Amino acid sequence: MNRAIGTLRALAFYTGYACFTIAWGSLSLLIAWALPFESRFRFIIQVWTGVVLWWLRWCCGITFRVTGMEHVPDKPCIVVSKHESTWETLALQQLFSPQATIVKRELLRIPFFGWAFALLKPIAIDRGNRRAALRALIEKGQRRLNDGIWVVLFPEGTRTEPGKVMPFQAGAGMLARSTDTPLLIVAHDAGKYWPARALVKNPGEVEVRIAPPVQPMGQDTKALLGQAEHILRGMMDQLYAEPTHTGDERS
């Protein structure tokens, strides 16, 4: 019975998610292009993710709590986040605004929302050409940071099993060194509640933790990434050693 209820809740969530995305993407195409960039980001992305997260809470009982916001610098920097769910691709948009995310360029061809997302200066890369993708990340990432836009990366390159950390790819470290910009490390346990490649979601409270920024300070790329990866591993070990949260409150 619990499994059946969970399936119905997940289906209700995805139905509302899809309908709202199509509607909001269409409206954004009509309106957002005329707005200044920061207002455009808030209109397209923050309203959309805010509604989706509210709908997720209402349908599936998933909330979140953030600690470490005092570590977030005033000036936009490079956010490196754990990637084990779809949840963080939504929630991070609420925490860092405006931001540029690294996306496969094919995503911008998705009708409605992909077209609207193209208005937000994402860093679109060709995953099939590693050298060109890295060059695009460095060049476009530097321009976004210079424009006062956060750059958000998933340094493992793909979603992982809950609690596991894969070796970091070079992009985040190279961008940090080339721009002398700190890395802001974000850990979370969203995989407990929104598992990858699973329909049913588990109610509870996602724990998000933000570490103090890691400064490049003359480190080479390997050393910088090693430090960042070590910090993320420690945070993830702590998160997954603690009891699962089942509270309803968000902070």
Side-chain angles (χ1 to χ4, degrees):
M1 179 63 73
N2 288 340
R3 184 73 178 180
I5 293 174
T7 299
L8 290 174
R9 287 183 171 183
L11 290 173
F13 167 72
Y14 280 116
T15 299
Y17 180 23
C19 291
F20 181 66
T21 297
I22 292 172
W24 195 250
S26 302
L27 181 62
S28 296
L29 284 172
L30 294 174
I31 296 175
W33 63 269
L35 299 174
F37 178 73
E38 289 195 27
S39 299
R40 188 187 312 164
F41 182 88
R42 294 190 186 98
F43 181 82
I44 296 177
I45 292 295
Q46 291 202 300
V47 172
W48 174 65
T49 55
V51 170
V52 171
L53 290 170
W54 168 82
W55 185 238
L56 179 69
R57 175 175 180 166
W58 196 88
C59 290
C60 303
I62 297 176
T63 62
F64 69 97
R65 179 164 60 102
V66 182
T67 58
M69 285 299 291
E70 68 274 11
H71 300 313
V72 178
D74 295 331
K75 182 179 179 181
C77 65
I78 303 164
V79 177
V80 290
S81 171
K82 188 70 186 74
H83 192 23
E84 59 184 34
S85 173
T86 302
W87 180 88
E88 62 270 15
T89 66
L90 302 169
L92 290 178
Q93 308 279 358
Q94 293 283 310
L95 298 180
F96 305 102
S97 172
Q99 69 172 253
T101 52
I102 314 303
V103 298
K104 294 183 292 186
R105 61 186 182 183
E106 292 81 6
L107 293 179
L108 303 184
R109 300 170 188 159
I110 296 174
F112 305 108
F113 203 81
W115 302 337
F117 193 56
L119 298 172
L120 299 172
K121 300 183 181 180
I123 301 176
I125 61 172
D126 179 3
R127 288 283 181 90
N129 187 333
R130 184 178 177 85
R131 187 181 297 272
L134 188 57
R135 185 169 58 249
L137 169 60
I138 301 302
E139 294 174 355
K140 294 180 181 179
Q142 184 167 11
R143 290 203 296 269
R144 301 299 182 267
L145 290 166
N146 289 339
D147 290 340
I149 299 171
W150 298 83
V151 174
V152 177
L153 295 164
F154 299 114
E156 297 160 291
T158 187
R159 285 182 298 188
T160 64
E161 295 180 22
K164 302 290 180 65
V165 178
M166 293 178 62
F168 283 11
Q169 297 184 0
M174 294 182 68
L175 179 59
R177 288 196 65 235
S178 65
T179 59
D180 194 28
T181 303
L183 299 176
L184 189 67
I185 301 166
V186 178
H188 61 83
D189 57 358
K192 293 178 182 177
Y193 309 100
W194 187 332
R197 295 174 290 277
L199 174 65
V200 177
K201 292 162 182 40
N202 305 310
E205 184 180 66
V206 178
E207 176 82 13
V208 181
R209 295 181 183 175
I210 303 173
V214 177
Q215 304 291 341
M217 293 193 308
Q219 299 186 77
D220 62 27
T221 300
K222 184 177 181 180
L224 179 61
L225 288 176
Q227 182 183 359
E229 184 181 323
H230 176 75
I231 293 171
L232 181 62
R233 286 183 186 277
M235 296 169 73
M236 294 301 297
D237 287 345
Q238 290 180 355
L239 278 173
Y240 276 84
E242 295 173 0
T244 298
H245 294 287
T246 58
D248 294 328
E249 297 191 4
R250 166 187 161 182
S251 62

